[in-house]
Amino acid sequence: MEDYRRNMSTSPPSSLRRVTIADIASASGVSIGAVSFALNGRKGVSESTRERVMQVADELGWAPARAARSLAEAKTDTIGFVLARDPYMLGVETFYMRFIAGLESEFAERGYALLLQLAPNRDEELLTLKRWRNSRQVDGVILVDLAVDDRRVAQLSKPGALPAIAVGDPSVAGALSSVWTDDDASMRSAVDYLSSLGHRRIARVAGLTDLAHTTIRDAAFRDEMSARGLVPTILRTDYTAEESAAATRTALRSDTPPTAFIYDNDIMAVAGLREVGREGFSVPADVSIIGWDDSVLCDYTAPSLTALSHDIVAFGAHVGRRLFDVIAGAEAGAFKDSTPELIVRESTGPAPR
Amino acid sequence: MEDYRRNMSTSPPSSLRRVTIADIASASGVSIGAVSFALNGRKGVSESTRERVMQVADELGWAPARAARSLAEAKTDTIGFVLARDPYMLGVETFYMRFIAGLESEFAERGYALLLQLAPNRDEELLTLKRWRNSRQVDGVILVDLAVDDRRVAQLSKPGALPAIAVGDPSVAGALSSVWTDDDASMRSAVDYLSSLGHRRIARVAGLTDLAHTTIRDAAFRDEMSARGLVPTILRTDYTAEESAAATRTALRSDTPPTAFIYDNDIMAVAGLREVGREGFSVPADVSIIGWDDSVLCDYTAPSLTALSHDIVAFGAHVGRRLFDVIAGAEAGAFKDSTPELIVRESTGPAPR
């Protein structure tokens, strides 16, 4: 098989346009050997020759022949990030821009670029990952939105798979390295805080159940409520402002309206805040509100929003560093990022009598 | 030179790991010819053989040999986007996530990915563009933050340059295709509206002067103010909330405080709104505020913000489509996107007596 492989391997295309060192030698009037020395930064050519060669190489558009390097060694200086998401949804979430900004802060130092691809669904996301592996277009990949029994985790755990970092709970990251935040502890702190203010009817406005962190928050919420003899109310949404407003409205119009809401993201919290006002309730006199993933949004609403605050840019940078460790051959591990802290602002107060 | 080129061209690396059709033939027990037929979707092999071959190819991690195709024809299915920007700044701006979301909506349809690289400064940005051209890593590039006499425009106008789309005024796009919004008309409409409400002391809180659109807005602002016999006040900032707040404070503490502010982005407008309140002024009774690039931020502040509204996601999609036209060989043109419209909310009202 090895023989076949050699025989069948890459043959020179018939009409190459790639600039070779011979082109540069010809155009600059020096020997091929001198060009090679100059381009590789080796001694043996004068400084003026080196400058001349570099200039000509630049003019001709020369680049080190990536294709001629062994693919096994090829570094693409690119990290892949595929998101199964509607492009319009991406535009309203503040999380991903901050997360990507954090990644980029680590990439910039190393000259890496981010290859970002949106996929309409999980199947297409899997195909993209497979394609990236086969074409060796990226040095590593970042997995987010981990699900229970995530097929991507299975795929990236196979021998020969691309180096990967899972962003999410180690319980769903399989054999992959993971960077995670303690959603369980964060949720418990939010319920504890509201409970200490006397709230007994607390509603959780939750995101999509197919995500592992939603399930973890659900469980923690139920557990803390039950431990206090309280009934946990969980309202399902798709993470949008619209569904958040609708869920909030429905809950407020029920016979036993909640006196406090915990929202799964910042957009849902600001939408909920406005809906509470429209329904004739005052924040925080009648209803208290907590948002998840503090952002500039929470700080500028009136009243400003109490929120679980997490430095998403730092989180993205942490994920980037751990991925570079994986690429460098580090053993897999589960790395805990800082736990979101409750920042108390104006939207929370004592439960109404 | 042609001979040299052929002689020096890509030679097979010594330890190839790329999977060849010979490997697949060997592993699936069929002829190389049959594998080739199967992989290329040609007739001449049975359906069961084709399935078997596809399965083995997938297991072995086969991908069409990009390196073996002529580089002149190579399609990378990737668009490059380099931003000279601090990663942390990227995380606070809502513009780019929406713009990227719009691009991705067009890319997704065509199976394209976005190669996003942050550069610490303009020099590094130029180097990245040069590297992408030389390595042919992308099929085309997107230029934003156009400056007067932009060096990137010059570079991308050279023969053999990568296909490019300039996002900005045609006056600074040189020979490149451009997609632009009418900043001049938008600014005039904002001044006109405030003037109709009786405002005479209007301040523009502006972004960075090295950007062409800042200069265009400056000129339109000065022109409209002068035409009314009013003194144009322009306050310079770096686009951040902090500098916006500081500029607003300084202006309000002057002997002749403005009765209206026009801010260059949404973040600056919300920061300005809060600062106006902290300085003891009421919005809109004492001070009116207009933000640029309406976003969810403007809608959820209290009072909500009057803003120049532009569908950034649609704008990004428009840019994506025009770039694909350029790649397909379309003639260069200047394409006007929709003009931002003033959405009047609660932050603007009659000038105080």
Side-chain angles (χ1 to χ4, degrees):
Chain A
M1 195 158 129
E2 186 56 27
D3 284 341
Y4 271 116
R5 200 180 282 184
R6 285 182 193 279
N7 292 339
M8 291 295 296
S9 63
T10 325
S11 58
S14 54
S15 69
L16 268 183
R17 273 186 54 191
R18 175 176 285 279
V19 174
T20 67
I21 60 173
D23 298 332
I24 301 167
S26 170
S28 57
V30 302
S31 73
I32 290 175
V35 170
S36 172
F37 275 39
L39 293 178
N40 290 303
R42 287 166 58 195
K43 290 180 183 174
V45 288
S46 70
E47 203 43 49
S48 62
T49 301
R50 189 186 308 279
E51 274 176 24
R52 168 98 187 108
V53 166
M54 295 302 280
Q55 193 191 331
V56 169
D58 186 51
E59 281 166 9
L60 293 180
W62 175 85
R66 179 173 302 227
R69 280 189 282 160
S70 161
L71 283 161
E73 292 167 24
K75 254 185 87 232
T76 63
D77 293 341
T78 303
I79 299 296
F81 186 26
V82 55
L83 270 170
R85 201 152 299 234
D86 180 312
Y88 273 78
M89 273 296 293
L90 192 66
V92 296
E93 288 180 322
T94 70
F95 179 89
Y96 279 109
M97 196 78 251
R98 291 183 284 162
F99 182 75
I100 287 172
L103 289 174
E104 291 278 359
S105 69
E106 294 292 323
F107 291 6
E109 277 179 25
R110 297 166 175 84
Y112 267 72
L114 183 73
L115 189 64
L116 177 67
Q117 181 142 27
L118 293 200
N121 54 50
R122 286 291 173 110
D123 286 340
E124 289 291 329
E125 191 176 4
L126 271 172
L127 280 175
T128 300
L129 288 172
K130 204 173 270 191
R131 194 162 41 78
W132 283 346
R133 180 201 62 184
N134 294 352
S135 62
R136 291 175 173 77
Q137 248 179 302
V138 298
D139 291 353
V141 296
I142 296 155
L143 291 192
V144 296
D145 294 339
L146 288 193
V148 177
D149 294 326
D150 200 299
R151 287 181 295 161
R152 298 167 302 167
V153 169
Q155 181 171 307
L156 288 160
S157 301
K158 287 181 187 170
L162 285 168
I165 189 89
V167 181
D169 202 77
S171 64
V172 289
L176 301 180
S177 267
S178 61
V179 178
W180 63 292
T181 49
D182 196 339
D183 283 286
D184 179 89
S186 301
M187 175 54 86
R188 290 180 193 275
S189 74
V191 175
D192 189 55
Y193 172 66
L194 291 172
S195 169
S196 75
L197 289 169
H199 293 277
R200 299 182 55 80
R201 290 201 305 274
I202 305 172
R204 152 163 164 74
V205 183
L208 305 163
T209 45
D210 57 350
L211 301 178
H213 75 257
T214 306
T215 327
I216 290 168
R217 292 179 189 180
D218 280 354
F221 179 69
R222 286 202 187 93
D223 196 44
E224 286 293 317
M225 292 295 281
S226 303
R228 290 170 172 80
L230 305 175
V231 180
T233 303
I234 299 183
L235 309 169
R236 292 286 163 214
T237 76
D238 62 354
Y239 277 125
T240 62
E242 291 71 26
E243 292 208 358
S244 170
T248 304
R249 189 167 53 245
T250 305
L252 289 174
R253 291 181 183 179
S254 72
D255 293 338
T256 51
T259 62
F261 288 88
I262 303 171
Y263 292 88
D264 245 358
N265 73 20
D266 54 345
I267 292 280
M268 292 205 296
V270 294
L273 171 66
R274 187 159 72 174
E275 200 60 27
V276 169
R278 285 182 174 168
E279 289 293 309
F281 294 85
S282 172
V283 175
D286 305 320
V287 172
S288 285
I289 287 181
I290 293 181
W292 207 296
D293 280 350
D294 190 26
S295 76
V296 65
L297 270 176
C298 303
D299 206 14
Y300 285 108
T301 50
S304 60
L305 284 171
T306 297
L308 284 157
S309 182
H310 189 203
D311 187 339
I312 309 294
V313 178
F315 181 51
H318 186 186
V319 169
R321 285 195 302 279
R322 294 299 180 183
L323 177 55
F324 286 118
D325 287 348
V326 172
I327 291 170
E331 267 189 58
F335 305 98
K336 188 173 169 176
D337 200 63
S338 62
T339 300
E341 271 183 82
L342 198 67
I343 304 289
V344 176
R345 297 202 185 86
E346 301 164 353
S347 66
T348 41
R353 304 244 166 176
Chain B
M1 196 158 128
E2 188 56 26
D3 285 342
Y4 271 115
R5 203 180 280 184
R6 286 182 191 281
N7 292 340
M8 291 293 298
S9 63
T10 325
S11 58
S14 54
S15 69
L16 266 182
R17 272 187 52 189
R18 176 177 283 281
V19 174
T20 67
I21 59 170
D23 298 332
I24 301 166
S26 170
S28 57
V30 302
S31 73
I32 290 174
V35 171
S36 172
F37 275 39
L39 293 178
N40 290 304
R42 286 166 58 197
K43 290 181 183 174
V45 288
S46 70
E47 202 44 49
S48 62
T49 301
R50 189 186 309 279
E51 273 176 26
R52 166 97 188 113
V53 165
M54 296 303 280
Q55 192 190 332
V56 169
D58 186 51
E59 280 165 12
L60 294 179
W62 175 85
R66 177 171 304 222
R69 280 190 282 159
S70 161
L71 283 160
E73 293 168 24
K75 252 187 88 231
T76 63
D77 291 341
T78 304
I79 300 296
F81 187 26
V82 55
L83 270 170
R85 199 152 299 232
D86 181 312
Y88 274 78
M89 273 296 292
L90 191 66
V92 296
E93 288 180 322
T94 70
F95 179 89
Y96 279 109
M97 196 77 251
R98 290 183 285 161
F99 182 74
I100 288 172
L103 289 174
E104 292 277 357
S105 70
E106 294 293 323
F107 291 6
E109 275 179 25
R110 296 165 175 86
Y112 267 72
L114 183 72
L115 189 65
L116 176 68
Q117 181 143 27
L118 293 199
N121 54 51
R122 285 291 173 113
D123 286 341
E124 289 290 329
E125 192 178 3
L126 272 172
L127 280 175
T128 299
L129 288 172
K130 204 173 272 189
R131 194 160 42 78
W132 282 347
R133 181 201 60 186
N134 294 353
S135 63
R136 291 177 173 74
Q137 249 178 301
V138 299
D139 290 352
V141 296
I142 296 155
L143 291 191
V144 297
D145 293 339
L146 288 192
V148 177
D149 294 327
D150 201 298
R151 288 182 294 161
R152 298 167 303 169
V153 169
Q155 182 171 309
L156 288 161
S157 301
K158 288 182 187 170
L162 284 169
I165 189 88
V167 180
D169 203 77
S171 64
V172 289
L176 301 180
S177 267
S178 61
V179 178
W180 64 291
T181 50
D182 196 338
D183 283 286
D184 180 89
S186 301
M187 176 55 87
R188 290 180 194 276
S189 73
V191 175
D192 189 56
Y193 172 66
L194 290 172
S195 169
S196 75
L197 289 170
H199 293 277
R200 298 182 56 80
R201 293 200 304 276
I202 304 172
R204 153 164 164 74
V205 183
L208 304 162
T209 46
D210 57 350
L211 300 179
H213 76 257
T214 307
T215 328
I216 290 167
R217 292 179 189 180
D218 280 354
F221 179 69
R222 284 203 187 92
D223 196 45
E224 285 294 316
M225 292 295 281
S226 305
R228 291 171 172 79
L230 305 175
V231 180
T233 303
I234 299 183
L235 309 169
R236 292 286 163 213
T237 75
D238 62 355
Y239 276 125
T240 61
E242 291 72 25
E243 291 207 0
S244 170
T248 303
R249 190 166 53 245
T250 305
L252 289 175
R253 291 181 183 178
S254 73
D255 293 340
T256 51
T259 63
F261 288 88
I262 302 171
Y263 293 89
D264 245 357
N265 71 21
D266 54 345
I267 291 281
M268 292 204 297
V270 293
L273 172 66
R274 187 158 72 175
E275 199 62 25
V276 169
R278 284 180 175 169
E279 289 293 309
F281 295 85
S282 171
V283 176
D286 305 320
V287 173
S288 284
I289 288 180
I290 292 180
W292 207 298
D293 279 349
D294 190 25
S295 75
V296 65
L297 270 176
C298 303
D299 205 13
Y300 285 108
T301 50
S304 59
L305 284 169
T306 295
L308 284 157
S309 183
H310 188 202
D311 187 339
I312 309 294
V313 178
F315 182 50
H318 186 186
V319 169
R321 285 193 302 276
R322 294 301 181 184
L323 177 55
F324 286 117
D325 288 348
V326 173
I327 291 170
E331 267 189 57
F335 304 98
K336 188 173 169 177
D337 200 63
S338 62
T339 300
E341 270 184 82
L342 199 65
I343 304 290
V344 176
R345 296 201 185 87
E346 302 164 351
S347 67
T348 42
R353 303 244 165 176

